[in-house]
Amino acid sequence: MSSSSYLLQFLLLLKFSSLSHGASPSVYDSFVNCLTTKSILQSDISKIVYSPNNPSFNPILQAYIRNRRFFNSSTTSKPVIIVTPTQESHVSGAVLCTKEIKLLLKIRSGGHDYEGISYISDVPFIMLDMSNLRSVAVNVTDKTAWVEAGATLGELYYNIWTKSSVVGFPAGVCPTVGVGGHLSGGGYGNMIRKYGISVDHVLDARLVDSNGRILDRKSMGEDLFWAIKGGGGASFGVILAFKIQLVQVPQTVTYFRVERFLEQNATDAIVQWQNVANKIDNDLFMRLLIQPITKKNKNKAKGEKNTKTIRATFIALFLGDSGRLLSVVSKEFPALGLTKQDCFEMSWIDSVLQWANFDNTTKPIVLLNRIGDPLNFLKRKSDYVQVAIPRDSLESIFQKMISLGKVGLVFNPYGGRMTEIPEDETPFPHRAEILFKIQYSVNWNEEGAAPEKDYLSQIRDLYNFTTPFVSKNPRQAYLNYRDLDIGTNDHGPRSSEQGRVYGTKYFKNNYDRLVKVKSVVDPQNFFRNEQSIPAQGTRKQRKMF
């Protein structure tokens, strides 16, 4: 890029930087005037386009912020305009008009991206909030559904349940996650070992491309359709909806949640879990939570101090009854010591509620609640484990966690159906060679820069500590556990190099094919974010608008 081009870009950014807390009349008017040229009625525009001066602007912006780190920070850049489309044509118009006024477009479905990149940016941007596009149309006859990008998983599950009690969908356990981001990033849940990940069941899609065209699978072509099934939709267009294949679930499933502490031989159970969780009956998924806790001493009168220890929690969904589950676990995983009293039989939809931490009196209609849990400050990271971690290494990890104090780990087993699907079938490559995935998790409620620095340091410290025990070359990561620590892209002259750093971690060898698709469908790199797929081509093509 020439020095004159850099100067022009700088002046453009300078021009719009003052807009972070209020869109100038010229920008807002230009955008609105542009929309009218795209055959969007003025009466519609007044209902879907918001400037920061509109009293509804902040409530709309904050409604789907899921990470308190980005909720009300003075350092968080706000959009200059929010668009809340109610029709597909509104999305098409928003894409074309954002392009015409040379701004960045950010796309938000559920807002659960851990780094907030769907609603924050270092440069001026327009935010496309998809929450009004949330219809779910279930066809029980052929076990399919069309679900719009702004629908939540809870809304999807509820709508499936109203049509059939023996049909479900293999996706996440958090009901307020948006379908658009979840599926386009891969998507997984507690039926992963039986049915694979969410995008393994995507049959069709509707998308707006960088030219404002509304495309389905046939018109977009198989390469683009492949790319949005796990490669991140926001790199290629705006996902409008997915057509999905639903799966069979039994009338009765079984749930258990069993806790063990280090003092109760939890390490024995964790060692055995590593060796069986990915090989056991495919109907059984056993998540393992490992958390540092402080156990209160009941004999404080004797002057004994509270004890810092590790709690291991085994949470399971079994697609069958408790009798068969007990037979499987007692044979394959005796170290858990599972009893009949630990097992609770229920319908699949009730298991959805259990996994979402509702009590057993809660009715499924609660899944239509889009608000979610109370807002926490949080940070997440991810890893993939290919070889079981030795016992002494596990013990060293536990001691490290106790010394750090707050960071927890979530182990999610693979195996089963995941071993049968080639890693290039979709952009999501983490398949047969994976024993389990790790999520690093830390939440906090204290305000201020000092606590944030402390907790971020803790989770990064544990991530560095586990380096010897996880995948290498590349150290793999899960796109939907977005983590800007592993690399970012400023979409300047080094865009290709920067993209490869995080791209190979998320997509392994599929990254190069994603770049090729991107370069064909969006050569000017209109759809971009801090970790998007870059386009090949001239520097002029890759530069920011």
Side-chain angles (χ1 to χ4, degrees), residues 347-412:
S347 65
W348 175 75
I349 196 68
D350 284 336
S351 78
V352 169
L353 297 172
Q354 285 289 322
W355 277 80
N357 296 320
F358 292 107
D359 63 46
N360 57 13
T361 63
T362 305
K363 302 300 181 185
I365 198 167
V366 75
L367 295 171
L368 299 182
N369 179 2
R370 297 172 63 91
I371 302 302
D373 296 329
L375 214 56
N376 281 318
F377 298 98
L378 62 89
K379 173 68 179 179
R380 303 288 188 267
K381 298 177 76 66
S382 63
D383 260 320
Y384 286 91
V385 175
Q386 295 170 303
V387 178
I389 303 171
R391 183 188 184 94
D392 60 346
S393 299
L394 281 172
E395 291 171 342
S396 69
I397 292 171
F398 300 159
Q399 291 307 310
K400 180 68 173 178
M401 294 173 71
I402 289 170
S403 69
L404 290 171
K406 186 75 173 179
V407 186
L409 299 176
V410 185
F411 291 0
N412 293 289

Side-chain angles (χ1 to χ4, degrees), residues 65 111 121 138 142 158 249 261 291 302 323 410 434 499 506 519 531:
I65 292 179
S121 178
V138 177
D142 63 3
Y158 179 84
V249 294
F261 297 91
Q291 297 161 297
K302 296 182 179 179
V410 185
I434 301 301
Y506 287 137
S519 303
Q531 283 190 340

Side-chain angles (χ1 to χ4, degrees), residues 67-69 292 376-381 401 403-408 440-463 485:
N67 189 343
R68 195 166 151 199
R69 289 171 60 199
N376 281 318
F377 298 98
L378 62 89
K379 173 68 179 179
R380 303 288 188 267
K381 298 177 76 66
M401 294 173 71
S403 69
L404 290 171
K406 186 75 173 179
V407 186
Y440 303 77
S441 172
V442 64
N443 295 349
W444 66 96
N445 290 311
E446 301 96 319
E447 300 270 359
E452 178 169 316
K453 182 179 179 181
D454 175 39
Y455 292 118
L456 292 181
S457 176
Q458 283 191 38
I459 193 169
R460 289 164 180 160
D461 192 356
L462 184 60
Y463 179 81
D485 292 352

Side-chain angles (χ1 to χ4, degrees), residues 304-316:
E304 295 181 18
K305 296 181 179 179
N306 292 335
T307 304
K308 292 183 178 181
T309 187
I310 290 290
R311 179 178 63 204
T313 308
F314 301 84
I315 310 172

